Amino acid sequence: MLGVWYRGLLAHDIGPQAHSFTVQSRTEDQLHKDILRIDQYLGEPGKPEDDLRDLEEARIEGSCEWFAERAAFQKWVDLETLPSSQLYWVSAKPATGKSVLSAYVINTLNNLNLDCTYYFFRYGTKERSTASGLLLSLAFQMALFNASVRGKLLSMIDRGIRFDKKDAKAVWRKVFLPTVFKAEWRRTQYWVIDALDECSDFGAVFPMLASIDPSIQIRVLFTSRMTGEIETHFAALSPPWVGEGVIFEEMNFEDTKSDMILYLEANRERLHVGDTEQRQVMTRRILEKSEGCFLWIRLVLEELAMEWSLQHAHQVLEDVPQEMDPLYRRALQIMASKPRHAQELARAILTWVICAIRPLTVPELRTALEADTGQTVEKLDMAIASLCAQLVYVDKSDRVLMVHLTARSFLVDRELESTFAVDEKPGHLRLAQSCLRCLCSHEMKPLRGRRVRKQLGQPQFGLFTSYASLAFAEHIRQTTSKDLSLAKALNIFLESNVFSWIECIASTRNLSVLTQTSNSLKHHLQRRLKHTSPLDRSIQFAESWVVDLQRMPTKFGDTLITSPSAIHSLIPPFCPASSAIRLGSMSSSKGLKIHGLRDDGWDDRLACINKGDNQIVSVACGESIFAIGLQRGQISLYHNTTCQEWKSLDHQSVLRYMQFDSSGSMLASSGRRNIRVWNVENGLMLWNFDIGQEILALVFCDSEKALIAVTKANAVLSWYLQTGQERDDRRWDDAVDFGDEGQFRRPPVTAAFCPDESLLAIVYRGRPICLWDMEDRSLHGFVGREKDPGSLALGTNTSPASIVFNANQELTLLAAAYEDGDLCLFDYDELRLIDSIEANAQILACSGDGLTLASGNSAGMVQLLSFETLQLLYRINTSDYSIRCIAFSADNLRFLDARGTQCNVWEPAVLSGLVEKKDSSTEGEPLKPKIIGMSDGELEIVTMELDNTGDFFFVGKSDGSVCVYAVKDGLERRILYRHTYGIPVTSMLWGQSEMVIATADAASRFIVYRLKADNSTGWVALEKLMDHRIESAIQEVLLSPSNERLMVCTTQYTSLWVVGAKTESTRQERVTREPFRWLNHPMKPDHYIVVTGKSISIIQWDSLAPTKTIDMPLYNERSAISQSVVKNTILFCRGDTVAVDFSEPHGERSTTAISILAINALDGDTAVLDQATGYEGISQEVLHLIGGFESKLLFLSRRLWVCSIDLKHSDAQTMYTRHFPLPSDWRAQQENYCTKVTIRGDILYTKREEVAVIQNGLESKESVPIA
């Protein structure tokens, strides 16, 4: 499908510039990859090349040329002259050749070497009849021929920007305004859009046209039927973009008469009767009766082609009706004369062609009919021509189509009394059932066992199966909700082959289908509830799948794209036990199992982002990115969909506020006295405004062309964002005058703008809220919770801590949270108090749709309330840090809260319900509030160590406790002992020889206990051997192999202790502060090894004296290792190999490089240790080294898969093994992971205060080449 486009792209982008075959090949390959990425990103939009080719072939040489001679068209095309309007509208009656004319215009523009993109609407074809489909196709075509547009779209992909591809406004707002229209254009762009009247939502196109900046060089030509609604929309378009007015042309019979003559002359050979003169008479008669309708001529010629006598031919001309509807009725009469089985097949063909969400090809329709009727029609194209009386035809691309929109409208007319009439709801029911039968067929049966799937490779699905996978839910949505057979068929599918269906969808890499399917099924189920009890098992089962399908792209999107077959056995164990996907998965005793985690269902909290020791002071949400602002000035940008960090900015001063523009392409950040404006795409600072006054609020205005800031100096400042110049300076000193203050004026403490920036609310301490009219520059009035706020004296305790206007301009509402926790709602137009409640609220935020008010307080509690009624909808109870800021996502389905060093991302179902309620025309029952709790974040597992049995493990927690856990269920068995409460345990070692455990904490205290085995709890504390606090922070501890000595390393020195002694035996000052890791020498019990980024040293236990120092392999001043520090060392392969894990010296703890070293080489004579060769490439795949198991080195990949390399395997240098994935929300903050692998191969993974024990995970194996 991309072939023609791609060849055109190469000719446009490369051409003679490719100076060599090698360079050209490389460029072509990258271009092809880029185009494929854009194509998939835009949802593989309709590519109208097939329509254009068909129309080109349909046009007769010499026809349509009359249009090119029109003066208005020549002026519209000519680049040297300015047309009276950039918009051209050609209207005509149905079936009079508008589409052929559009194709002619397109070819004319292409022949003139002008940049032309085009689109043909097709009513009844779901993906070809919407404004969003038009926009996506235009964007894709423009990316093909414009490198700047292509680069902008690739940047959107890299930034993870997501949008609803079915929402034309979202496509326009996210793809065109900030991206396509911001690209560099060297030439005028021409858009040719055919059959606008066949667009199901053509009304959405006109506001978009009106919003185009006049400086953007685009000229648009539309064709459509003349309808009153379309005429009204065109008439409403006003300058400047339109110019003097829309150029209007109405095609009539006289315009196209010459084209029809050419058409009849070209098809004269289809008349088999009469001499030349008689045929001319016949063609003149056809022309007279046609009244300018090409379709009428075509259908009559097809009927005349089957006549072989002159008398019969004249009879046909007499009998054929002149209007289209009677002509179609005549066609139905012909179809009704066929045998019964032929009529049934014709009805099936008509139903499929009319109700399919996209045109089906002949092979697809053949398979569909077989699934629907049980009949196999070998020569379907011939059957269509014979059975459907020219109402259906097969085009040059083998697609089966209705002959015209008028034929479709005729057949679906409810007043049509015919056995061939198509009722769309029953039609969609028929197609839905056929699709579900296909999806429940043996072809879609899941293969038993991952090994079998691996051997057979990616499953191959039939043509109709691909259609059924994408379309079944849409057919369900459009059919009746009363049919019980459909509910049964859907249930069978969800109980049998739904996993194979997800695999099929994931293999296309378009996971939006899962979300769309969920939405379609949800819509259907909501209608079914009118006829079925909500307690019905099938309803609940399907609703459970609706929820799970929504979660799949968010939680496991990358996993599904990486390995679609993971849906069968690797993803379900990570889902809640009550989820449909977990209950329906193929479980076996040897399958992947996870223990140790609480199971409360899908969590409302999608992500918790921790910024270490940096306090978060501000959060802001854009269309696809959200920003977290830190007190020190750093700004972190995250993807909305994955909650993963994308890039960072630096305000370079203490940060206070942030604000995105409406497109999300610009971000304004404010310190106390300066503002910076950033280009989000490239991270560059656009403007820096130093104003010398403390800032209280800022907002983008005038369609994002200006920025406004409110200051403590009673002033409003604004700047033009195109030039950076200050726009004006407005002050309200004189307008807001409190008579009891004299010369002393208290400064304002906070401020907020109403949605259209016409009103400013200002808060003074001890005063009512002042409302200042920005346009009149005068006082609008006061509001407060007292009866007469305007008469209040200085010092009255009426100060709000936070205020926010309702984002809906139609609602003149202002909310204020007072310092004592009261929440008040005002009508700022009438200056009156509407309601006041005790809400314990200090921070406020409003959703973009104006429905929801969010509040936060100093105890960490967050509440969602109805803005209009202050009814509580949702509450999060915590005992946590104070809420600093709250922000809603652009789609109003999520909100973010900033507390301490954390930012939480929430997606409660109540927000989705509010959006649905807004879209509904009926009033529902009041929503009942949902109250939830959240971990207070105080308890966290910091360190972990395995015992020698493989049945138990020890953990050190942030509260100072040391506990024993069981591997079989991941649950705590007992607390062994405690350090000081609240002091985290930072280091832990298990001594197998004497059954001792050594721990150290953040307060420089270390403890050694002897343990005793216990049948019920694994281990109990038997005897405390040591308990000392030293004067320097402890970094590392090490027990000798005999467990008789303990090494303690601090920031200042290294000390050697005899276990049980009260004082150290040896101390050695540290010469360097370079980070290092210790491990016992596996072959020399009286020595240990010290590993740094530069070298490896062998040290004697007795004297702490080094016996040998060997340079680290691959070390040089420019290597990755030289820029990193040792993160971890792992001994494996029965102790003869050590893996060294390196990471950045500051910040993230992700792996930057690894070295795999042979221990036996330590005892050689060489001064440089050789690294095991061939493993350099694996470093790029490693995020974190987990541990060693047998001859395998286990690691967590950057795509969050648990993987391994087997050093004993012959292809270990070129391949690694992928075992199982982790959910995206398991990614640790700062990439600081605490993991272990037991002697049985169980993986231990800490999640805050819990440990996930993942069993049988290494049994799943998939070989992957090392990049």
Side-chain angles (χ1 to χ4, degrees), residues 238-285:
S238 59
W241 189 78
V242 176
E244 299 175 6
V246 177
I247 302 173
F248 174 66
E249 295 269 7
E250 185 171 11
M251 289 169 52
N252 54 45
F253 180 53
E254 292 303 318
D255 292 326
T256 60
K257 186 175 180 179
S258 60
D259 295 346
M260 291 183 174
I261 293 172
L262 289 172
Y263 183 80
L264 286 168
E265 289 293 329
N267 288 276
R268 185 181 294 180
E269 72 279 357
R270 303 186 69 180
L271 301 176
H272 306 303
V273 296
D275 55 24
T276 301
E277 185 177 347
Q278 290 171 327
R279 291 183 183 182
Q280 287 179 345
V281 171
M282 207 175 299
T283 56
R284 283 196 297 270
R285 178 69 176 139

Side-chain angles (χ1 to χ4, degrees), residues 511-570:
L511 299 183
S512 63
V513 174
L514 300 180
T515 305
Q516 294 165 9
T517 300
S518 174
N519 292 335
S520 295
L521 293 180
K522 183 178 182 181
H523 182 270
H524 172 74
L525 293 172
Q526 287 173 340
R527 290 187 289 118
R528 260 188 73 189
L529 288 175
K530 299 176 183 178
H531 318 289
T532 310
S533 167
L535 300 179
D536 183 89
R537 179 190 171 278
S538 63
I539 289 281
Q540 295 179 338
F541 182 53
E543 286 180 337
S544 183
W545 268 110
V546 165
V547 174
D548 289 6
L549 291 176
Q550 286 281 357
R551 291 286 182 164
M552 285 298 101
T554 303
K555 295 282 187 180
F556 305 102
D558 188 69
T559 297
L560 285 169
I561 290 175
T562 301
S563 179
S565 63
I567 188 62
H568 294 283
S569 58
L570 300 183

Side-chain angles (χ1 to χ4, degrees), residues 529-714:
L529 288 175
K530 299 176 183 178
H531 318 289
T532 310
S533 167
L535 300 179
D536 183 89
R537 179 190 171 278
S538 63
I539 289 281
Q540 295 179 338
F541 182 53
E543 286 180 337
S544 183
W545 268 110
V546 165
V547 174
D548 289 6
L549 291 176
Q550 286 281 357
R551 291 286 182 164
M552 285 298 101
T554 303
K555 295 282 187 180
F556 305 102
D558 188 69
T559 297
L560 285 169
I561 290 175
T562 301
S563 179
S565 63
I567 188 62
H568 294 283
S569 58
L570 300 183
I571 289 177
F574 292 97
C575 299
S578 59
S579 64
I581 192 169
R582 177 78 169 271
L583 294 172
S585 65
M586 297 182 299
S587 60
S588 67
S589 59
K590 295 183 179 179
L592 183 69
K593 288 181 171 53
I594 301 169
H595 304 289
L597 303 181
R598 288 191 308 271
D599 191 344
D600 300 323
W602 295 114
D603 193 357
D604 285 347
R605 182 167 63 167
L606 296 183
C608 175
I609 300 169
N610 196 310
K611 302 304 291 185
D613 59 350
N614 292 317
Q615 291 288 316
I616 299 174
V617 295
S618 181
V619 291
C621 291
E623 286 289 339
S624 60
I625 301 294
F626 64 86
I628 296 177
L630 306 182
Q631 190 173 38
R632 299 172 184 173
Q634 294 83 13
I635 302 171
S636 300
L637 302 181
Y638 290 79
H639 294 294
N640 277 344
T641 52
T642 63
C643 299
Q644 296 303 306
E645 188 168 3
W646 173 46
K647 65 172 60 174
S648 60
L649 311 172
D650 192 353
H651 188 83
Q652 295 184 344
S653 67
V654 176
L655 196 65
R656 298 192 67 178
Y657 308 108
M658 295 188 300
Q659 179 78 40
F660 280 98
D661 71 340
S662 61
S663 68
S665 60
M666 285 191 293
L667 173 69
S669 60
S670 164
R672 288 189 63 192
R673 300 175 183 272
N674 77 317
I675 299 172
R676 294 190 171 191
V677 182
W678 306 87
N679 181 314
V680 173
E681 180 180 331
N682 55 31
L684 297 178
M685 184 177 65
L686 300 176
W687 304 108
N688 180 32
F689 305 121
D690 290 315
I691 57 179
Q693 304 170 20
E694 190 167 342
I695 299 163
L696 300 179
L698 71 160
V699 66
F700 288 92
C701 66
D702 291 349
S703 300
E704 324 307 341
K705 293 181 180 178
L707 182 71
I708 303 179
V710 183
T711 74
K712 270 196 172 184
N714 299 311

